[in-house]
């Protein structure tokens, strides 16, 4: 093979990259032996391929986008295209949560795959918000604004509640979220005149949460072993009904079981001589395997 044919082959492989480095390649053909020139050309080809594939990556990355907007009834519509690296990260995180869920739930999971992915995304976001290393305050809970009339007692059942981004909440969700949230109380004089806007404060202060975590370690629902990072601190007697935010009245429950005990006609949870007692919807007792 002649030096000229090596150059022609290089040009045919990538004409535009060849045009950019023609002078150096011609110089290389002049000074190097045939064997060295072929080695130089091979290196050059590799570098050009790498540059081209990076160009492709950048073009793909340019198309990345994510829309998240509040739609009808406070649902949030998510839609977008992630670049390969971010997409890989998302899929890895989702499948890690799904794996952990299927290990702990086994067959008793009647959610659709799409519902499971939606729940997993929520869990990922919640756990990120709970991270202590996050730039802002640790243990951030959903922000619930409770609006009450000036004449009404500040009971969450009598109040209307909303979340900062998606708006009004149904009473059942309001009670569950307000159970362990950052709550801001707004007292209204009339229908639209705020009389007093309280500070946003976490219902369960961080030190109290740590104490509950140290005692319970994981979800207290019988048979559940979700670690505390998946859990809320549930008030057995809701604070809106006068229940104290104190260790004996708080129980760690994973998001799923928290939902279950707040459901109308669902599982019951009450304090009996200072110990939480779980009851099935039919009233029968579930054994608590709490630490002594
Ligand atoms: Zn609760
Ligand atoms: Zn649980």
């Amino acid at each position: 093979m002649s030096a000229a044919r090596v150059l022609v082959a290089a040009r045919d492989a990538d004409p535009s990259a060849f045009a950019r480095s023609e002078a150096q390649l011609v110089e290389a053909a002049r000074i190097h032996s045939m064997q060295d020139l072929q080695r130089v050309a091979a290196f050059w080809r590799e570098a050009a391929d790498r540059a081209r594939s990076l160009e492709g990556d950048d073009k793909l990355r340019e198309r990345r986008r994510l829309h998240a907007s509040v739609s009808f009834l406070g649902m949030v519509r998510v839609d977008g295209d992630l670049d390969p690296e971010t997409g890989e990260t998302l899929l890895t995180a989702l499948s890690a949560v799904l794996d952990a869920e299927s290990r702990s739930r086994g067959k008793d999971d009647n959610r659709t795959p799409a519902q499971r992915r939606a729940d997993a995304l929520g869990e990922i976001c919640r756990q990120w918000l709970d991270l202590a290393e996050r730039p802002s305050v640790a243990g951030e809970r959903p922000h619930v604004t409770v609006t009450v009339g000036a004449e009404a007692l500040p009971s969450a059942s009598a109040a209307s509640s909303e979340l900062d981004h998606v708006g009004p909440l149904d009473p059942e969700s309001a009670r569950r979220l307000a159970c362990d949230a950052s709550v801001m109380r707004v007292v209204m004089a009339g229908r639209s005149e705020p009389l007093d806007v309280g500070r946003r404060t976490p219902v369960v202060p961080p030190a109290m949460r740590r104490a509950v975590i140290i005692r319970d370690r994981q979800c207290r629902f019988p048979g559940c072993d979700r670690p505390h990072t998946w859990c809320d601190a549930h008030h057995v007697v809701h604070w809106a009904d006068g229940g104290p935010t104190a260790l004996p009245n708080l129980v760690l429950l994973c998001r799923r079981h928290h939902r279950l005990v707040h459901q109308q006609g669902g599982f019951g949870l009450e304090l009996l001589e200072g110990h939480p007692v779980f009851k099935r919807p039919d009233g029968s007792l579930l054994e608590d395997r709490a630490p002594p």
Side-chain angles (χ1 to χ4, degrees), residues 245-285:
T245 301
L247 209 47
N249 192 39
L250 293 171
V251 168
L252 274 193
L253 289 177
C254 70
R255 247 69 83 182
R256 174 178 173 232
H257 287 124
H258 196 192
R259 194 175 280 277
L260 281 181
V261 301
H262 273 275
Q263 237 161 39
Q264 294 287 345
F267 283 82
L269 171 54
E270 52 195 71
L271 283 175
L272 222 80
E273 289 163 3
H275 293 286
V277 175
F278 291 88
K279 287 182 175 169
R280 293 189 186 83
D282 66 9
S284 60
L285 283 183

Side-chain angles (χ1 to χ4, degrees), residues 86-284:
T86 309
E88 178 70 24
T89 309
L90 175 78
L91 295 176
T92 306
L94 281 179
S95 78
V97 175
L98 293 174
D99 283 356
E101 290 254 297
S102 70
R103 265 201 306 279
S104 85
R105 281 208 188 192
K107 285 200 189 76
D108 101 77
D109 190 350
N110 43 26
R111 296 170 300 163
T112 65
Q115 288 172 334
R116 293 171 55 207
R117 282 193 295 274
D119 291 352
L121 183 62
E123 199 53 55
I124 290 164
C125 296
R126 278 294 286 274
Q127 294 197 22
W128 187 83
L129 288 172
D130 281 350
L131 278 184
E133 298 80 33
R134 211 155 57 82
S136 118
V137 199
E140 194 142 344
R141 321 303 293 183
H143 283 169
V144 184
T145 303
V146 180
T147 314
V148 293
E151 70 290 344
L153 276 174
S155 141
S157 53
S160 78
S161 307
E162 48 184 69
L163 292 172
D164 280 0
H165 295 102
V166 301
L169 279 168
D170 65 277
E172 190 180 297
S173 311
R175 279 178 72 85
R176 174 170 48 81
L177 283 173
C179 196
D180 185 5
S182 260
V183 170
M184 182 169 74
R185 196 167 286 175
V186 181
V187 180
M188 303 294 279
R191 285 195 79 178
S192 57
E193 196 191 333
L195 198 66
D196 180 40
V197 179
R199 269 191 337 135
R200 193 180 286 292
T201 42
V203 167
V204 182
M208 179 66 69
R209 175 183 309 283
R210 276 195 294 278
V212 179
I213 288 171
I214 287 168
R215 187 198 59 192
D216 289 351
R217 293 197 302 264
Q218 56 191 25
C219 176
R220 282 282 288 274
F221 197 91
C224 182
D225 58 3
R226 288 266 100 141
H228 67 84
T229 44
W230 301 64
C231 293
D232 297 324
H234 168 69
H235 286 70
V236 180
V237 179
H238 203 288
W239 57 264
D241 302 329
T245 301
L247 209 47
N249 192 39
L250 293 171
V251 168
L252 274 193
L253 289 177
C254 70
R255 247 69 83 182
R256 174 178 173 232
H257 287 124
H258 196 192
R259 194 175 280 277
L260 281 181
V261 301
H262 273 275
Q263 237 161 39
Q264 294 287 345
F267 283 82
L269 171 54
E270 52 195 71
L271 283 175
L272 222 80
E273 289 163 3
H275 293 286
V277 175
F278 291 88
K279 287 182 175 169
R280 293 189 186 83
D282 66 9
S284 60

